[in-house]
Amino acid sequence: MNGPKTTEALLYLDGVSVSFDGFKALNQLALLIAPGEMRAIVGPNGAGKTTMMDVITGKTRPDTGDVLFDGGQHDLTRLDEATIAELGIGRKFQKPTVFESHTVEDNLRLALKAPRSVFPTLTARRTAEEKARLDELFATVKLGSQRNTQAGGLSHGQKQWLEIGMLLAQDPALLLVDEPVAGMTDAETFETAELLKRINRTHSVVVVEHDMAFVRELGVKVTVLHEGSVLAEGTIDQVSADQRVVEVYLGR
Amino acid sequence: MKKLSLAIASLLLVLAALLTVPAGSAFAQTIEETIAKFATDRFPDTTRGVEEITRSGHPTALAIVEALGDNRLAYRRADRRVFVIGTDDKIRSAETGAVETDVDIDDLRRVRINNPIRQTIAAALGALRLGSSDPGQRRAAAEAIMQAREADQAPALEAALGREKDARVATAITQALAALRIVDTKQPESVRLAAIDTLADRGDREALVMLRSLPADAPAAIKQRAERAAAGVERHLSILSGVQNIFFGLSLGSVLLLAAIGLAITFGVMGIINMAHGEMVMLGAYTTFIVQEFLRANAPGLFDWSLLFALPLAFLVSGGVGIAIERTVIRFLYGRPLETLLATWGVSLALQQAVRTIFGSSNREVGNPAFMTGSFDLFGIALTWSRLWIVVFTVVVFACLLFVIRYTDYGLRMRAVVQNRAMAGSVGIRTNWIDALTFGLGSGIAGIAGVALSQIDNVSPNLGQGYIIDSFMVVVFGGVGSLWGTLVAALTLGIANKLLEPLAGAVLGKILILVFIILFIQKRPRGLFAQKGRTAES
Amino acid sequence: MIVQRLAGRLGISEIAFIAAVAGLAVLVPLANLTMPEGSLLHVSNATVVLFGKWMCYALLALSLDLVWGYCGILSLGHGAFFALGGYAMGMYLMRTIGTRGVYGNAILPDFMVFLNWKELPYTWYFFDWFGYSALMAMLVPGALAFVLGWFAFRSRVTGVYLSIITQAVTYALQLAFFRNDMGFGGNNGLTDFKDILGFQVQAQTTRATLFALSALALLGGFAAAKAIVSSKLGLVLIAIRDAETRTRFIGYRVEHYKLFVFVVSAVMAGIAGALYVPQVGIINPSEFSPANSIEAVIWVAVGGRGTLIGAALGAVLVNAAKTWLTAAIPTVWLFALGALFILVTLFLPRGIVGTFGSKLFGHRWSK
C-alpha cells in the first residue's frame, strides 16, 4: 500500500486542517518527524497540540491534509485507532489513563506486543518470554515493587510512569507523549527526561509539553504551535529568541 | 319482489275500499280520513296513510311520519283517534298537533311498521323535509335521497330545486338529482353527462361509488366520462387522505414532542437518564383528574376551565416530584449515567405503584372541556378539536421553553453550567441549584404534557410507560442537547408513523419506525442535529 | 487441560458456589422423587419448578453480568435473547403436541388451525426435531446479538445510547410477537405443551430432570464465563469497561471484543430461556417486555456486578424475595423492587458479593 507521496520521514503531516463548529483547531499544519528523532512540541493552550495527536492516532479525522506514516507507506487518515496502534504509534495521554482495576503487571501485560485479535487473546497463556519482557519493563519504569498493586492505587507520578511503561511494552516505532511531567516533582521531572532520552535511543518520540525547563532538559529540536499551525521551529534557544514566540507566550 | 307484492296487495285493498265506500268521496279525502288510516293498524293502510299525508302538505305531516318511523305514533282503540307521542312524552293530536292532557297513554296502541313501510317512510321523510323551513333539514333530506337513490323522488327534487333560495341546499339537491339522473335511462345523454360532471364536482367517496356503479348497459360515452370523472375523484380523495395523514402525523408528532420535550431538557441538556420521565407525565394526567373531580364537586360551572387550572398545578406537582428525585437520588449519581438509569427506573416503579395504590389500577375518567370536544371539517377532512388544540399547545410550550432558555437569567445560568460546570461555579452560580431547577423544569414540562395527554389517552398508572421508549427515541434521533432537533425528530417520526400506518398497519408501522431509528443511530450515533467538537466527545 | 487451568483460578467462594449448585442438582430431585410427601426432607413439585426457574434466571443474570459487569455494556434487552431461546424451545414443544391438540391437526399447532392457516410457515420447519430446536435456541439469540452488536459497536454506540437501543429492540420484538401474523401464537404465545423428547412435561420425573439440567446449565455457564473473564481476554474486557479509548490506543479492536462477549452472552441467555419454557409451560410476548430485561439487571446489581457468583446469587435472592412478597403482601412488591433499584445504586454499587465478598471469602472485586 503506497501512500500518495513519497517521503523519508517517519511521520509526515502536510496541510492538515480540522475545525469544530467553525473553530479552526488545526490550520494547514505541516510537520516532519525523521526516523529516530525526538521532537518537543510546545504551544499555549488551544494551539492544537492535543488535536494534532488525535489526528495522528486516528481519533479525529482531518477535514483536509495528508497524514502519512513510515516513509509514506500508510495514510493514517484512513485507519482506525487500533490499526494505527498496531502499525507502531503509541500514545500517552495528557491525563494519565491506566486501567485502574487491573494490577500494574496486568496493565503492562495488556500493552505487551502480542496478537491483538479476539481468539488469540482468549487462549493466550503466560510464557517465560513474556515474563522476561515484563521484568525488563519493570526495571525501566522502576515499578517492580508495585507489581501486584491495583493501578488505581498508584500515585500520580507512578501512573505517568506506568503509562510510559505501557507505551514501551507496545514497542512502537513512534511514541507520542502528551505532557508527561504534568504534576511531577522536579526530581521526577528530571528522571522522566532521562527516561525519554533513553527511550529515544531505540524509538522515535514526539513530546508535547508546557514545561520549558523540561524541554530544555531534553535538548532536542522544538516546534512551536500557535492557532493550529507551526509558528517556529529550531533549538530551544532559537525559538525562545523568536520575537513572535515571545509575543504569543507573553500575550503582547 | 317484496315491493311488487306489496303494491298488488295495496291495489286490491284500494279496490275493496272503492267498492265499499260510496263513489265520489274516494277522491276528495279529508285529512281526517287520511289520518284515520293509521288507526286500522294494518300495513297496507299505514302505507297509504304515509303516501297520502305526504302529498297532503298538512302542517303535522312531517311530525306524523317521523313519529311513525320512531314507533311513536299511536291510536286509541275506543274512538280510533290518532296521536303523536312526543320525544318529550307529551301526547299530541295527530291532526292539530295540540297537546292533549286528558289522554291516558295506557289506552293507546302504537302503530306497527315493517321494513317496506320503513322504506316508504324514508322516502316520505325525504320529500317532507325537502319542504321544511329549516335549510339544514332540506339539505339533509337531499342527502338522504341521494344515498337511498330513490328514483321516484326525482319530481319532488325538481320541484324543490325550483323554489330553493339557499345556494348550499340547491347544490345538495342538484347533486341528489344528478345521482338519480346518472342511472336514469329515460334522460337524454346530455343530461346524464352533466350529472356525471356534477357528481365529479362533489368529489367525495359517495360520488365515487355512484360514478363506479353505472349499469353495464350504459352507453359508452357515459361510461367513459364516468370513468374519467371517477379517476379524478379518486386522485382528489387520495390527496385529501394524504393531507389528512399528514395532519394526523403532525398531531402524533406533537404528542411525541410534548412527551419528549421535558426529556430533551433532562437527558439532552443535563445528560441525566430519567426513566421516571413517563411517570412525570402520568402525574400530570392524574393532577388533571383530581382538578376535574374537585371542580365537579365544588364548582361545576368552572369545568370548562379545568385544564387551565390543571396546567400550573401539574407543572408544580411533577416539577416538585422531579426536584425531590434530583435532590434525593440523582445528585449522588452525576457522571454515572447507567446507575442513574437504574435508580430512576426504581423511582418509576415506585411512583406507578403509589398511584396504583391511591387511585386503583383501572383507567380514570378525565373529561374533555367543551372546546376540546367534537370535530370540524376542513376541505373535506374531519379534524378533532382536541388534536388541534394539542398541536397548538405544543407549539406554545416549545416556544416558552426556548424563550426561558434563551432570554432569561435562569436560562443563561443553566447554559453556563451545562457548558462548563467548574467555571460556572467559580463565577458564583450555585450549580447544584441550577441542576435541581433544570431537572424540575424538565419534569414540570412532562407534567404539563400529562395534562394534554389526559385528553386523548387513558389515564392509568401505566400511562407513562407507553411514552418513555418513544420519548427517548425522539431525543436520541433528534440529537442530544438540541431542542430544535427534538422538534424535527418528533414531527418526522409522527408523520412517518402515520404515513406508514395505512401501508403496513399500526403495529408494523411502529416496529418499522423503531428499526429505522435503531439503524439511524448506528449510522449517526449523535442524532440528526449532532453537536460537534471536543466537548461532545465521550 | 482447560478444566485444570480453570480450577487453578477458582477462589474459595467459587468452589463453594459450584459445590452448592451441584449439590442442589442432585439433592433437590432426590428429595422430590424419593422422599414421601409430608416428610421433612420432601421437596414439593411446585418448589422444584420454582427452583428450576431460579436456576434459569441465575443463568440469565450470569450472561448479563458478563457483558455489563465485565465489559460495561448495559444491555436492557437481554430478556429478548432469553425469550427467543424460550420461543425456539416452545416451538419444538408445540410441534410435538401433534394430533393431541384441540383440533387434532398433526402438523399445525392449534392456534394456526384457529387462524385458519393451511400450511406450516417456513419459520416452523424442522422444529419437530429437538436437535434443531436446541440449536436454534442458541443460534437465533446469538445471531440477533451479532447483527445488533456488529452495527452498534462498529459505530461506537456506547453507554446509555446502547442501553436505550437494546431496550427499543426488545420493545419492537414484543410488538412484533404480539401480532398473530408473525406466526408465533400472538398474544397467547405458545402453551399447552405435552411432552419433551417423549417424556411428559408435567411428569414429576421430567420436572426433576429439567431442574437438574438447569442447575447443570448454570454450572456450565459459570465455567464458560469464568474461563472467559480469567483469560487475557477477560483483562481486555475490563480494560474496555474502565477505559475504552485507552484500550483502543493500545491496539485492541474494541468492537470485536464487545461483539464476542455480547454474542456469547446472548447464547447463554437463549439457553436459559430454552430451559425455562418447558418448566413454566408457557412462553408469550410479555417475556420481551422491557421491564423484564431491566429487572434482570437489578439481580446482577444486587448480587454484585463483575462477580460471577454475585450475579447468580442476586438472581436467586431477588426472585426469592419476589416469590415471598407477592404472596404475602402483593402491593408492596413493586415498592420493594423500586426501592431495591434506588438503594442498591446509591449505597451498594458493587452489590452484595462485591462489597462483602472480600471480607467473607477474601474475594477480590472484578476478578
Side-chain angles (χ1 to χ4, degrees), chain B residues 483-504:
Chain B
L483 280 182
W484 286 106
T486 308
L487 174 81
V488 173
L491 295 185
T492 312
L493 294 182
I495 292 172
N497 208 330
K498 285 293 167 190
L499 291 182
L500 270 177
E501 246 173 44
L503 303 175

Side-chain angles (χ1 to χ4, degrees), chain A residues 122-163:
Chain A
L122 180 64
T123 52
R125 306 186 58 180
R126 290 165 194 270
T127 58
E129 192 192 347
E130 185 186 277
K131 189 170 180 307
R133 275 287 288 147
L134 286 174
D135 289 342
E136 201 181 306
L137 283 167
F138 274 116
T140 315
V141 297
K142 299 183 175 127
L143 287 169
S145 58
Q146 256 80 28
R147 207 167 177 142
N148 289 317
T149 327
Q150 277 198 10
L154 295 179
S155 75
H156 184 81
Q158 283 171 325
K159 280 185 190 167
Q160 296 271 37
W161 279 57
L162 174 55
E163 222 187 332

Side-chain angles (χ1 to χ4, degrees), chain B residues 339 345-346 353 473 480 522 525, chain C residues 151-152 155 161 168 294 305 331:
Chain B
E339 275 86 347
W345 177 264
Q353 186 61 18
M473 287 290 132
V480 171
Q522 321 276 8
Chain C
F151 279 116
S155 2
Y161 288 88
I294 205 165
R305 68 186 123 122
T331 49

Side-chain angles (χ1 to χ4, degrees), chain A residues 57 59 80-83 85-86 89 91 93 97-103 106 109-112 114-119 121-125 150 163 166 170, chain C residues 1 5 9 156 227-228 231-257 260 364-367:
Chain A
T57 52
K59 190 176 175 203
D80 69 358
E81 297 98 317
T83 316
E86 279 203 281
I89 298 180
R91 177 174 184 184
F93 285 82
T97 37
V98 294
F99 304 120
E100 307 229 331
S101 49
H102 282 323
T103 61
D106 282 344
R109 253 187 92 204
L110 277 178
L112 270 186
R116 291 295 200 237
S117 48
V118 172
F119 291 100
T121 312
L122 180 64
T123 52
R125 306 186 58 180
Q150 277 198 10
E163 222 187 332
M166 288 164 73
Q170 292 175 63
Chain C
M1 194 191 75
R5 275 177 66 190
R9 298 173 195 167
R156 301 196 185 167
I228 289 173
S231 70
K232 189 177 173 191
L233 186 136
L235 292 182
V236 178
L237 294 183
I238 293 174
I240 291 170
R241 179 191 74 190
D242 292 350
E244 177 167 335
T245 318
R246 188 76 185 89
T247 315
R248 207 169 253 137
F249 280 119
I250 298 182
Y252 291 99
R253 272 200 187 72
V254 167
E255 53 275 20
H256 292 185
Y257 283 82
F260 170 77
R364 231 168 66 207
W365 182 56
S366 78
K367 280 278 143 152

Side-chain angles (χ1 to χ4, degrees), chain B residues 106-121:
Chain B
D106 293 334
D107 295 339
L108 300 184
R109 292 194 152 208
R110 305 213 177 212
V111 180
R112 291 169 302 136
I113 52 174
N114 59 5
N115 275 341
I117 297 182
R118 276 198 192 95
Q119 284 172 13
T120 316
I121 291 172

Side-chain angles (χ1 to χ4, degrees), chain C residues 155-233:
Chain C
S155 2
R156 301 196 185 167
V157 178
T158 55
V160 289
Y161 288 88
L162 192 85
S163 305
I164 292 169
I165 285 194
T166 53
Q167 187 173 40
V169 166
T170 188
Y171 179 56
L173 280 171
Q174 186 185 18
L175 291 179
F177 273 74
F178 266 127
R179 289 165 56 83
N180 275 330
D181 46 9
M182 273 285 285
F184 297 110
N187 241 341
N188 304 323
L190 313 175
T191 188
D192 289 334
F193 307 136
K194 299 288 189 248
D195 49 29
I196 177 166
L197 285 173
F199 301 101
Q200 272 197 314
V201 176
Q202 304 279 350
Q204 200 181 4
T205 45
T206 314
R207 291 193 154 163
T209 312
L210 282 170
F211 166 81
L213 283 175
S214 306
L216 287 181
L218 176 60
L219 282 183
F222 176 77
K226 183 70 191 173
I228 289 173
V229 301
S230 57
S231 70
K232 189 177 173 191
L233 186 136

